[in-house]
Amino acid sequence: MTLQHKRQLPFLLTSMGATLLAVATAMAAEPASRPAGAPNSAPAVDQHGLTIKDAYKNHFLIGMAGDLSGRYSDEELGLVKEHFDIVTPENCMKPAPIHPSQDAWRFERPDALVEWCADNNLAIFGHTLVWHAQTNDWFFRDGDKAAVTQRMKDHIGTLVGRYKGKIQGWDVVNEAINDGGNAETAQTENLRNSPWLRAMGPEFLTLAFKFAHEADPDAKLYYNDYGIEAGPKHASSMVLLKRLLKDGVPIHGVGIQGHWSTGRIPYVALDKAISDYASLGLEVSITELDVTIRGASGGQFGRGFRGRGFNVTPPSSEDLKAQADAYARLFSIFIKHKDVIPRVTFWGLSDRRTWRFGQHPLILDSNNQRKPAYAAIVDAVQQRRMD
Ligand code: XIL
């Protein structure tokens, strides 16, 4: 096995695991989340009231992530159109799937997504150009700084250029900051020891934004990460963003991913983090929102996979209520900051179509029904109007 194969193995296993799960789920006659004979503990939720995208139309766009439209049922595609304004490609535009080797591009699925969204009046936000995960080793192999820079430039120029004018913006750099940290690292950018950093130094961020801006001067360009709303990692994100802005980097926004877990959401820090980013003149989007009912938190690729349970225990009505309360509290923070938040995107479509399958993290259940969290989010904005 070559080094490259070894590096790709975790991703292969992850996608194999996800595929097996998807097949097993699709084959089950009844939703896996409700064992035969078990009482339906879910509180009744109105399935036909105001949709989330209409409820928030004067606030921000509501998004979902998915590699549309192949492999989605007509019912699921109907839900995307009914509830959402904007789509993030969940995987198909990431470096490994779209650009597996230097001379090979796989545009079939991304082109299909762009076409389907145009036909159905959905906007698109691109994800992601420069990341340490889901990126094949050819970008770095036997390359000095100049060679790797050229490969990055070609990758970004070709991809962003192809969809110029069709994609509203891009997560240009994803997850560049280390986890954890302490009082000392909080004073620094604390960059992750990624192959991009090793090959190009901290300038890799500057250049990625520059190349994306050259390829589409109208695209909104984002730095996207998880856990940057709190603690030393938040402080490091501020150090990094200030450096980029000082150097004149064309960056317009920060993406707070938002892979949280009910009962462990840093609400106060989040509220302050949004203000902090806005004070730099940046917009803020919530780019990958999901709130698990149980199981591991943390957004880094791989971690959630190992942490998620394969036993699909149905959520209790208390679980669903706690999740609804968490979502309502989050959206009340987003509403407060609506002037600087253009978009809130959920990472998936339903509790069947989520990378955290089994943890019931989204607002439509695995039967495509609105959950209590859905109703609570709509109520949060209506409540506000009555105040
Ligand atoms: C996840 C996808 O949802 C999975 O299907 C895939 O196997 C791994 O990546 N942070 C990100 C997203 O920026 O790209 C990740 O998406 C979730 C964590």
Side-chain angles (χ1 to χ4, degrees), residues 217-361:
D218 295 327
K220 292 276 183 204
L221 303 182
Y222 270 60
Y223 175 72
N224 191 51
D225 208 336
Y226 63 89
I228 48 169
E229 62 275 7
K233 198 166 174 181
H234 174 65
S236 291
S237 74
M238 291 295 285
V239 176
L240 169 63
L241 292 165
K242 283 179 187 166
R243 187 248 300 180
L244 296 179
L245 289 164
K246 183 167 134 291
D247 290 351
V249 169
I251 176 172
H252 311 109
V254 183
I256 295 175
Q257 290 187 3
H259 294 294
W260 289 304
S261 182
T262 304
R264 274 185 285 165
I265 303 177
Y267 298 104
V268 175
L270 173 66
D271 190 353
K272 177 174 175 298
I274 297 169
S275 301
D276 286 349
Y277 296 140
S279 76
L280 302 179
L282 295 168
E283 59 179 52
V284 183
S285 286
I286 311 302
T287 51
E288 305 186 14
L289 181 58
D290 51 15
V291 178
T292 58
I293 272 179
R294 61 176 74 85
S297 187
Q300 189 186 2
F301 174 69
R303 195 193 253 199
F305 178 74
R306 278 193 294 279
R308 73 187 179 183
F310 286 89
N311 59 327
V312 184
T313 317
S316 68
S317 54
E318 292 75 34
D319 287 339
L320 291 167
K321 169 85 171 64
Q323 183 186 48
D325 290 347
Y327 267 119
R329 193 162 168 198
L330 280 173
F331 272 75
S332 68
I333 295 172
F334 304 155
I335 291 166
K336 176 175 153 195
H337 293 284
K338 73 177 168 62
D339 291 346
V340 296
I341 298 186
R343 172 174 63 102
V344 175
T345 287
F346 292 89
W347 202 247
L349 171 65
S350 67
D351 286 347
R352 187 183 291 273
R353 296 287 195 165
T354 161
W355 74 314
R356 296 176 139 188
F357 182 80
Q359 297 179 277
H360 317 288

Side-chain angles (χ1 to χ4, degrees), residues 164 212-219 252:
K164 181 175 186 287
H213 187 64
E214 280 167 9
D216 184 354
D218 295 327
H252 311 109

Side-chain angles (χ1 to χ4, degrees), residues 75-322:
E75 181 184 343
E76 288 174 320
L77 294 174
L79 292 173
V80 176
K81 291 187 258 179
E82 184 182 352
H83 299 284
F84 301 98
D85 303 293
I86 181 162
V87 172
T88 300
E90 185 175 0
N91 287 299
C92 70
M93 290 190 192
K94 289 173 177 171
I98 203 171
H99 198 180
S101 61
Q102 187 148 14
D103 304 319
W105 283 92
R106 302 270 181 267
F107 287 124
E108 200 178 310
R109 299 189 77 191
D111 281 356
L113 182 144
V114 171
E115 194 186 327
W116 188 85
C117 288
D119 289 348
N120 293 286
N121 283 322
L122 281 131
I124 303 169
F125 203 89
H127 176 82
T128 177
L129 301 172
V130 171
W131 193 20
H132 62 280
Q134 288 179 278
T135 300
N136 288 352
D137 188 53
W138 69 262
F139 276 101
F140 315 104
R141 202 182 306 135
D142 303 329
D144 58 7
K145 182 174 177 179
V148 175
T149 303
Q150 189 59 47
R151 289 171 195 168
M152 175 196 266
K153 185 172 190 214
D154 291 344
H155 176 75
I156 293 177
T158 304
L159 177 47
V160 175
R162 183 178 184 91
Y163 300 119
K164 181 175 186 287
K166 297 179 177 169
I167 290 196
Q168 174 177 111
W170 283 93
D171 293 328
V172 177
V173 177
N174 202 28
E175 304 182 348
I177 302 173
N178 271 321
D179 290 334
N182 52 43
E184 205 176 307
T185 65
Q187 314 291 317
T188 72
E189 296 179 7
N190 196 19
L191 294 179
R192 182 189 296 277
N193 182 15
S194 72
W196 290 113
L197 184 70
R198 289 195 296 274
M200 295 171 58
E203 208 195 349
F204 87 86
L205 291 114
T206 320
L207 290 172
F209 280 93
K210 180 172 169 279
F211 297 149
H213 187 64
E214 280 167 9
D216 184 354
D218 295 327
K220 292 276 183 204
L221 303 182
Y222 270 60
Y223 175 72
N224 191 51
D225 208 336
Y226 63 89
I228 48 169
E229 62 275 7
K233 198 166 174 181
H234 174 65
S236 291
S237 74
M238 291 295 285
V239 176
L240 169 63
L241 292 165
K242 283 179 187 166
R243 187 248 300 180
L244 296 179
L245 289 164
K246 183 167 134 291
D247 290 351
V249 169
I251 176 172
H252 311 109
V254 183
I256 295 175
Q257 290 187 3
H259 294 294
W260 289 304
S261 182
T262 304
R264 274 185 285 165
I265 303 177
Y267 298 104
V268 175
L270 173 66
D271 190 353
K272 177 174 175 298
I274 297 169
S275 301
D276 286 349
Y277 296 140
S279 76
L280 302 179
L282 295 168
E283 59 179 52
V284 183
S285 286
I286 311 302
T287 51
E288 305 186 14
L289 181 58
D290 51 15
V291 178
T292 58
I293 272 179
R294 61 176 74 85
S297 187
Q300 189 186 2
F301 174 69
R303 195 193 253 199
F305 178 74
R306 278 193 294 279
R308 73 187 179 183
F310 286 89
N311 59 327
V312 184
T313 317
S316 68
S317 54
E318 292 75 34
D319 287 339
L320 291 167
K321 169 85 171 64

